[in-house]
Amino acid sequence: MRVELLSLVFAALCGLVVSQTFPDPLNITGPFFFVHDPSLVQRQTDGKYFLFTTHDKAGIITADNLAGPWTEVGSILPNNSSIPLPGRDDIWAPDVSYHNGQYYAYYSVSTFGSQDSGIGLATSYTMEPGSWFDHGLVINSTTGDNYNCIDPNLIVGLDGVPRLSFGSFWADIFQVELAYNFQNVTSVPEQISFNSTAPQAEEGSFVYKHGEYYYLFLSEGTCCGFNASNLPPPGDEYKVYVGRSISPAGPFVDAKGTPMTETGGTLVLASHGNVYAPGGQGLYYDTTWERDIFYYHYIPVESPDPYSDTWASLGLNGVDWSSGWPVLTSL
């Protein structure tokens, strides 16, 4: 109750009109663990949950049940990435998925505000710590490019072509095709989303197929570095938008028909209650719950250091697709 009251007071003071409500995330148990730009996978063999996160050299957190208890168990790259760029010892935004009998983890090597960035690939048959093999660089960007090679996401469409989406700031979200070895780039980067409204830069893209459509989710706004006494104007913080297409390569449009390359996007999730600046999102089909699960990180309003991304946490919700667009539900 106190958290909800604080949020309403903050909204009133800033002139925010609350026009949409969102469900609270699932309550999870276990000791606190830092989560930012999460990737959540349920293991094929036994249904065990593996959660991967930015920092801690692509940290690995596991649980036998979705609600926990969750436990930190290690890292994907405990000995750093083989990519010879600054940030190789501080891995960002791992994206993990299962293909061809093994797990593929695309990851980012960069430093804050830099375009000298690389996306690498590691693979494992089990996802356990110590089982990952680093294949090194897949694609990189340098100063002067109109894209930044971080926040990777792999989608394999019905045509069987692996595609890697990526991007953060600059001209936002791009996509390339990969060879069937999932490592060699076979096309030039093509822009698939762009927001021209400052300061709503886009990042954290995630493409997910449901029914006849491919849905492009992305995060917009300020992600982190918040000061409780000097927060961004309401709405400028992280939130999640979506567009859809009949092709994994786009063009993607929002529910009003606006192209995602022309500042389109339908709102999926924004700050509410104890949840501030949600983003870094993804989806997977849970074989235990027999439904799609939407996961993301958020900054708790109520924490030992309110609004501090040091306490970034895991959010979990269900998805209602009945309208043809993703609407979050409680779990």
Side-chain angles (χ1 to χ4, degrees), residues 217-231:
F217 295 84
L218 48 84
S219 301
E220 290 186 2
T222 303
C223 75
C224 39
F226 300 110
N227 181 335
S229 62
N230 187 28
L231 293 171

Side-chain angles (χ1 to χ4, degrees), residues 143-207:
T143 301
D145 288 334
N146 63 343
Y147 54 84
N148 191 19
C149 283
I150 68 170
D151 291 0
N153 171 245
L154 177 70
I155 178 70
V156 181
L158 292 180
D159 59 5
V161 177
R163 293 177 172 87
L164 194 69
S165 301
F166 59 88
S168 174
F169 289 72
W170 282 270
D172 292 341
I173 309 301
F174 286 76
Q175 187 183 79
V176 292
E177 294 184 2
L178 301 177
Y180 292 108
N181 66 2
F182 285 62
Q183 188 171 5
N184 298 117
V185 175
T186 61
S187 70
V188 297
E190 296 286 348
Q191 186 185 63
I192 59 173
S193 188
F194 178 71
N195 188 332
S196 62
T197 307
Q200 305 299 330
E202 300 175 341
E203 56 188 9
S205 60
F206 190 96
V207 181

Side-chain angles (χ1 to χ4, degrees), residues 9-331:
V9 169
F10 173 73
L13 288 174
C14 295
L16 177 64
V17 177
V18 180
S19 59
Q20 188 167 349
T21 59
F22 303 97
D24 290 333
L26 179 71
N27 288 324
I28 59 176
T29 62
F32 172 79
F33 49 85
F34 174 86
V35 174
H36 207 274
D37 304 321
S39 182
L40 181 55
V41 181
Q42 190 176 21
R43 189 157 60 186
Q44 297 279 314
T45 55
D46 58 3
K48 185 174 182 178
Y49 296 97
F50 284 75
L51 175 66
F52 304 89
T53 179
T54 283
H55 299 322
D56 196 24
K57 303 184 181 185
I60 306 174
I61 304 162
T62 64
D64 293 323
N65 297 290
L66 191 61
W70 291 86
T71 305
E72 294 179 277
V73 296
S75 305
I76 293 178
L77 298 174
N79 298 315
N80 305 331
S81 168
S82 60
I83 297 173
L85 285 173
R88 61 188 293 267
D89 59 346
D90 183 29
I91 308 303
W92 293 354
D95 175 75
V96 182
S97 55
Y98 182 77
H99 307 276
N100 305 322
Q102 61 182 325
Y103 298 92
Y104 289 76
Y106 292 89
Y107 62 86
S108 311
V109 171
S110 188
T111 54
F112 192 76
S114 173
Q115 261 186 299
D116 293 323
S117 310
I119 292 171
L121 172 64
T123 56
S124 167
Y125 290 101
T126 66
M127 295 190 287
E128 297 285 352
S131 70
W132 291 92
F133 178 78
D134 185 15
H135 298 268
L137 184 68
V138 174
I139 186 172
N140 70 291
S141 57
T142 60
T143 301
D145 288 334
N146 63 343
Y147 54 84
N148 191 19
C149 283
I150 68 170
D151 291 0
N153 171 245
L154 177 70
I155 178 70
V156 181
L158 292 180
D159 59 5
V161 177
R163 293 177 172 87
L164 194 69
S165 301
F166 59 88
S168 174
F169 289 72
W170 282 270
D172 292 341
I173 309 301
F174 286 76
Q175 187 183 79
V176 292
E177 294 184 2
L178 301 177
Y180 292 108
N181 66 2
F182 285 62
Q183 188 171 5
N184 298 117
V185 175
T186 61
S187 70
V188 297
E190 296 286 348
Q191 186 185 63
I192 59 173
S193 188
F194 178 71
N195 188 332
S196 62
T197 307
Q200 305 299 330
E202 300 175 341
E203 56 188 9
S205 60
F206 190 96
V207 181
Y208 188 72
K209 189 176 189 304
H210 181 83
E212 63 180 313
Y213 292 106
Y214 294 88
Y215 293 82
L216 170 63
F217 295 84
L218 48 84
S219 301
E220 290 186 2
T222 303
C223 75
C224 39
F226 300 110
N227 181 335
S229 62
N230 187 28
L231 293 171
D236 281 0
E237 79 278 9
Y238 240 24
K239 52 205 166 297
V240 179
Y241 286 92
V242 69
R244 72 183 187 186
S245 172
I246 58 172
S247 166
F252 297 92
V253 299
D254 66 15
K256 294 181 178 180
T258 305
M260 294 293 283
T261 51
E262 298 177 17
T263 318
T266 297
L267 184 65
V268 176
L269 180 63
S271 300
H272 64 283
N274 190 43
V275 174
Y276 185 73
Q281 70 296 316
L283 291 94
Y284 76 98
Y285 181 78
D286 192 293
T287 59
T288 303
W289 290 65
E290 297 183 338
R291 66 181 301 177
D292 287 329
I293 302 295
F294 185 85
Y295 58 84
Y296 53 95
H297 72 253
Y298 68 93
I299 312 303
V301 173
E302 189 170 88
S303 74
D305 188 4
Y307 295 100
S308 170
D309 49 278
T310 301
W311 293 90
S313 301
L314 174 66
L316 299 168
N317 287 98
V319 185
D320 177 0
W321 295 98
S322 60
S323 68
W325 293 90
V327 177
L328 299 192
T329 68
S330 298
L331 285 173

